[in-house]
Amino acid sequence: MTVSCLGYLGLSVSAPAAWRSFACDALGMMPGSSEGRLRIDSKDWRIALHEGSEDDLAYVGFEVASAEALVALEQRLAAAGRPVKRGDAELLQERGVTDLVVTEDPAGLPVELFCGLLDRGDVPFCSPAGTSGFVTGEQGLGHFVLFAADIEAMRPFYTELLGMRLSDRISMGPVTLEFYHCNARHHTMAMVPAPLPKRLHHIMVEVASIDDVGFGLDRCQEAGVPITTSLGKHTNDQMVSFYVKTPSGFDVEYGCGGIAVDDETFVKLCLLYTSDAADDMQCVDLGGRRII
């Protein structure tokens, strides 16, 4: 059994009002049915803003396909000695799910495994900024990138226990980033082996078109929101995107056109950047064969 997608994220933020304005006015998200919740599709919420001083990721929620799959994951985690706790009625109501198990990764990040997130088909998604839509469905919310001081300890939790599969690796000098998927999205999560004070490097949301990306970039620039990385295209997932700094200091990647992966046919890449110069980049697969 494996998790099926990234369902939601909980953030601890010191400036909730600024965050709501940034998310809705600049990025085109929609306020949820309760304060501090943000929508990007028909689901009741995808991002929760909890007032706090951390300005960091508070918890992550992975959806599973069924109650039976949830039980199987719960048993696998317990057998591996990981902490597991069934969500009580209050937590189920707060999250808007039918069933939920709480565990944590080796770095102490709360990880919620759930099924049955409330769908608000009665209140269609409507972006206040005019964004035509976000790519979610079976691919879920998007992706997130974690700083992992001990990536060797983190990897088995997300792969052997939660069922993530390696998409590729990117090496930049002594640092190797690892990208993992659980559905057709090129990566649902990635890890950077760096012991930085915060857990979260960035969140990615995928919009429906390049027009949405361009209009989003225009809105961020007009609002004076810092653009961390200008518009470009990734080598691995082929997404066209830009990065913008949130009121919490970490980034949101805002893009479109990410490739889909198929576990039976997808060629995993190891991208080795030997210097800052593009001409010095080598692309090889995990078996060592050069790819042109």
Side-chain angles (χ1 to χ4, degrees):
M1 291 296 176
T2 175
V3 296
S4 60
C5 71
L6 175 63
Y8 56 72
L9 294 173
L11 306 176
S12 173
V13 302
S14 60
W19 243 102
R20 286 192 294 272
S21 176
F22 163 74
C24 297
D25 299 338
L27 301 185
M29 298 181 184
M30 177 184 175
S33 59
S34 58
E35 187 175 2
R37 298 289 177 89
L38 299 170
R39 287 181 60 182
I40 61 173
D41 59 7
S42 67
K43 298 300 182 184
D44 186 56
W45 68 284
R46 290 291 193 175
I47 296 174
L49 307 174
H50 301 277
E51 187 167 4
S53 59
E54 291 84 359
D55 279 316
D56 201 359
L57 184 61
Y59 56 85
V60 57
F62 290 108
E63 187 168 7
V64 298
S66 65
E68 292 76 18
L70 184 61
V71 170
L73 281 173
E74 179 183 20
Q75 292 172 345
R76 183 188 299 169
L77 288 160
R82 302 306 307 171
V84 287
K85 181 181 178 181
R86 277 273 160 177
D88 59 21
E90 182 179 357
L91 184 59
L92 295 182
Q93 182 175 10
E94 180 181 347
R95 298 288 191 263
V97 299
T98 57
D99 210 352
L100 182 147
V101 170
V102 182
T103 184
E104 64 180 37
D105 74 11
L109 172 66
V111 174
E112 300 180 359
L113 309 173
F114 72 89
C115 54
L117 182 61
L118 178 63
D119 192 284
R120 292 303 309 271
D122 58 322
V123 183
F125 173 78
C126 182
S127 168
T131 301
S132 69
F134 292 82
V135 178
T136 57
E138 292 182 355
Q139 296 187 16
L141 162 59
H143 75 234
F144 67 104
V145 177
L146 290 176
F147 290 114
D150 187 353
I151 202 167
E152 298 296 329
M154 295 279 276
R155 189 185 300 117
F157 174 82
Y158 286 101
T159 58
E160 297 171 14
L161 298 182
L162 298 192
M164 295 276 189
R165 284 91 70 192
L166 180 70
S167 300
D168 52 38
R169 296 187 175 99
I170 295 181
S171 294
M172 299 180 179
V175 177
T176 300
L177 290 70
E178 300 185 357
F179 299 80
Y180 293 91
H181 65 278
C182 60
N183 53 51
R185 192 182 296 279
H186 176 273
H187 56 284
T188 289
M189 68 165 293
M191 292 186 285
V192 183
L196 295 184
K198 292 190 177 183
R199 291 169 168 150
L200 189 59
H201 179 274
H202 75 264
I203 301 165
M204 186 282 298
V205 289
E206 184 174 359
V207 287
S209 72
I210 190 64
D211 290 344
D212 289 321
V213 175
F215 289 133
L217 180 58
D218 288 346
R219 291 192 300 270
C220 289
Q221 290 175 327
E222 290 169 3
V225 181
I227 305 299
T228 313
T229 304
S230 60
L231 193 65
K233 185 176 183 179
H234 283 302
T235 306
N236 59 348
D237 66 0
Q238 301 293 296
M239 180 167 286
V240 177
S241 65
F242 66 92
Y243 290 72
V244 60
K245 191 172 293 295
T246 70
S248 293
F250 56 80
D251 287 353
V252 167
E253 180 187 0
Y254 197 82
C256 73
I259 62 172
V261 299
D262 183 323
D263 285 310
E264 294 186 0
T265 60
F266 180 64
V267 177
K268 299 178 177 67
L269 298 181
C270 176
L271 304 180
L272 174 62
Y273 291 80
T274 56
S275 78
D276 291 336
D279 289 344
D280 288 336
M281 187 181 73
Q282 301 174 43
C283 298
V284 297
D285 69 14
L286 295 180
R289 177 174 58 84
R290 182 66 183 267
I291 294 179
I292 305 301

